[in-house]
Amino acid sequence: MNVTAIIPARMASTRFPNKPLFNFMGLPMIEHVRRRVELCNHVDRVIVATCDEQIYEVVTEAGGEVVMTSDRHPTGSDRIAEVARGIETDIVINVQGDEPLLLPDEIDHAVQFIRQSTIGEAWNATVEIKDQSELESSAVVKALVGANNRILSMSRRPFSIKPFIESREVFRKVLGFIAYRKATLLKVTSLPLSPIEKLESIEQMRLIENGFALENLRFESNYPGVNLPEEADQVAHVFKTDKLQQRLLELTLR
């Protein structure tokens, strides 16, 4: 089963303009993400999908594979679908370009699980929510996970008025790692944006609202992503203080 990771990236982020080229430790964020995925043993191909010449030039100069796409895509999944239509692959992974601290080992573990699945249509990585502030932050997308480990819904707001300690088992933090069977990706992105997707600005809701099964992939490492400019400081702190991240940084800077 062939697995392709496609990283959607654009400069015109409403919450953090020019985010893909934000510099961490001498390297643009998009290159941190791309090189992390390149370190994976079970991902066959890594492509950056962008509508911006600046990103295209940065990735090309670094020796990465990049495809120019339309600038009219409403979501990252729509952008990667344009690229996926033109390549031979069984599984497409949307690795979002604002997750520079994702661990290659966790990605590999997830890919191995997906390869063994005979009925799954799509998968999304989640981690345990660390504290009350994450549960309440609108920058953190929360997943409501059912007893069958299927993601039932997603929201930027807490799902329940129950105390945090009672909620953390069924509410999980959504990571920027969404995997699709190629056929599922193309079906979903052929549909119009769904009501909750538009309301919450959460692209995975198009899957859920249209009856596709979105399986939960449990990751262990709850590193910060970069949704807002102030979160860049948190990521920079992790790069400077976390020994595992420092080892990975050495590999990506080679």
Side-chain angles (χ1 to χ4, degrees), residues 139-152:
V140 175
V141 177
K142 275 72 70 173
L144 179 63
V145 182
N148 59 357
N149 203 43
R150 185 166 293 174
I151 295 174
L152 306 177

Side-chain angles (χ1 to χ4, degrees), residues 28-235:
M29 180 155 53
I30 187 64
E31 273 299 294
H32 279 283
V33 177
R34 186 187 68 81
R35 296 182 191 197
R36 288 288 176 99
V37 184
E38 290 277 12
L39 291 173
C40 296
N41 295 315
H42 296 284
V43 175
D44 301 295
R45 188 177 180 184
V46 183
I47 304 170
V48 173
T50 186
C51 58
D52 293 296
E53 291 285 351
Q54 302 101 307
I55 296 172
Y56 183 91
E57 290 172 4
V58 164
V59 176
T60 300
E61 288 175 8
E65 184 176 3
V66 57
V67 174
M68 290 294 292
T69 65
S70 167
D71 62 358
R72 297 184 179 182
H73 292 303
T75 72
S77 291
D78 294 287
R79 189 176 307 283
I80 69 169
E82 178 184 337
V83 178
R85 287 187 189 93
I87 63 174
E88 291 294 326
T89 191
D90 301 295
I91 300 293
V92 179
I93 302 173
N94 176 350
V95 181
Q96 294 177 8
D98 56 7
E99 296 272 4
L101 299 175
L102 279 177
L103 300 180
D105 283 350
E106 287 199 309
I107 294 173
D108 272 334
H109 181 74
V111 171
Q112 288 176 293
F113 176 84
I114 290 166
R115 279 187 160 136
Q116 294 168 3
S117 176
T118 58
I119 59 173
E121 297 178 291
W123 302 260
N124 206 132
T126 69
V127 291
E128 183 180 53
I129 295 175
K130 292 189 297 186
D131 53 46
Q132 186 76 25
S133 64
E134 282 192 325
L135 188 67
E136 295 175 351
S137 172
S138 62
V140 175
V141 177
K142 275 72 70 173
L144 179 63
V145 182
N148 59 357
N149 203 43
R150 185 166 293 174
I151 295 174
L152 306 177
S153 188
M154 291 186 181
S155 176
R156 296 185 181 276
R157 300 162 185 82
F159 284 99
S160 173
I161 60 171
K162 289 287 188 179
F164 170 64
I165 196 67
E166 296 180 30
S167 304
R168 63 191 309 171
E169 284 303 311
V170 292
F171 307 144
R172 294 183 57 88
K173 176 181 173 181
V174 175
L175 298 180
F177 179 100
I178 316 163
Y180 304 84
R181 295 196 188 276
K182 178 181 174 180
T184 300
L185 172 64
L186 298 185
K187 286 178 185 176
V188 171
T189 55
S190 71
L191 298 171
L193 272 65
S194 59
I196 300 175
E197 176 187 16
K198 290 190 288 186
L199 181 68
E200 293 273 4
S201 295
I202 299 174
E203 63 195 81
Q204 296 95 315
M205 286 306 303
R206 202 183 320 172
L207 274 160
I208 297 169
E209 290 183 79
N210 284 286
F212 293 92
L214 181 58
E215 308 292 336
N216 178 39
L217 290 172
R218 290 177 174 259
F219 279 26
E220 297 299 323
S221 302
N222 189 353
Y223 288 112
V226 186
N227 297 292
L228 303 170
E230 53 265 33
E231 292 172 322
D233 291 336
Q234 299 174 30
V235 171

Side-chain angles (χ1 to χ4, degrees), residues 7-26:
I7 306 166
R10 66 189 183 101
M11 299 290 279
S13 169
T14 54
R15 290 182 291 177
F16 192 166
N18 305 328
K19 181 167 63 172
L21 299 188
F22 186 88
N23 192 290
F24 287 112
M25 318 303 286

